[in-house]
Amino acid sequence: MTGHVLVLGGARSGKTAFAEQLAIRSGKKPAYLATAEALDAEMRDRVATHKAGRGDRFTTIEEPLALSDALMAAAKKHDVILVDCLTLWITNLLVANEDVAKAVSELGATLVQLKTARVILVSNEVGLGIVPDNAMARTFRDLAGSAHQRLAEICEEVHFIVAGLPMTLKGATGRSAGRIHEA
């Protein structure tokens, strides 16, 4: 199964747990492509906790910027690749003064081209709240929203997770509806 998937939700909504369950059911050799950079003690603790929670179920690959290249390389060894998360990746690109729209277009082209592995993209839905009060936050929100729209067009499935409950926006769930239990 190589139909790509986009999983959206708010912070602590259960989106990563849903994506992990989907990845484990989707392939025999799943990879976890993490975009986070552990730049302080709190983030290092979060990363360590997440890695420990995954155990040996996934091969972990860390890549904060070159997502398309990392996906192509990972697809040579893995049949499913979970990317967590796109909003951190977009943040990393902004901080590095990279062209986010160009990187998203490149990611979209990579997904269309990639037929040997299923890619499950996790991202925070940030457009449901109030309009941010500063230009950088508004730019981030707009870029994330545009990225989500572009990737939702490409992906075979799109799921929105709220309070641990998955809602399928596009495609078939391949699972029964119900609460997602995080480890």
Side-chain angles (χ1 to χ4, degrees):
M1 176 186 327
T2 58
H4 305 311
V5 181
L6 177 61
V7 179
L8 300 168
R12 305 300 300 158
S13 63
K15 63 190 174 297
T16 298
F18 176 84
E20 287 177 358
Q21 291 172 14
L22 186 58
I24 289 168
R25 285 194 316 275
S26 296
K28 295 181 185 200
K29 297 190 308 187
Y32 193 103
L33 203 163
T35 62
E37 290 188 283
L39 301 175
D40 59 33
E42 186 268 339
M43 194 60 166
R44 283 189 291 277
D45 289 344
R46 279 180 179 261
V47 168
T49 299
H50 283 280
K51 280 183 182 177
R54 288 193 300 271
D56 61 357
R57 297 177 297 163
F58 291 86
T59 299
T60 299
I61 302 164
E62 296 178 357
E63 179 49 60
L65 295 170
L67 187 53
S68 292
D69 292 340
L71 282 170
M72 294 303 286
K76 293 176 183 174
K77 296 180 182 178
H78 302 278
D79 55 355
V80 63
I81 306 159
L82 189 160
V83 177
D84 194 6
C85 85
L86 292 179
T87 43
L88 281 174
W89 175 62
I90 290 169
T91 299
N92 296 340
L93 292 168
L94 282 170
V95 170
N97 291 316
E98 297 287 336
D99 184 336
V100 175
K102 180 180 174 185
V104 170
S105 289
E106 182 180 305
L107 175 59
T110 298
L111 291 172
V112 169
Q113 177 185 359
L114 191 57
K115 305 287 187 205
T116 59
R118 182 176 218 197
V119 177
I120 302 170
L121 305 164
V122 176
S123 197
N124 290 292
E125 178 52 64
V126 296
L128 298 174
I130 61 172
V131 175
D133 69 349
N134 66 76
M136 183 175 191
R138 287 189 297 274
T139 297
F140 170 77
R141 181 214 45 203
D142 294 348
L143 289 167
S146 294
H148 294 160
Q149 289 180 53
R150 172 71 177 119
L151 297 170
E153 288 176 18
I154 294 167
C155 288
E156 185 177 293
E157 294 178 32
V158 179
H159 304 282
F160 187 67
I161 314 301
V162 178
L165 300 171
M167 295 185 291
T168 299
L169 305 177
K170 179 181 178 183
T173 64
R175 62 175 273 139
S176 62
R179 185 153 179 80
I180 299 164
H181 301 284
E182 292 192 46

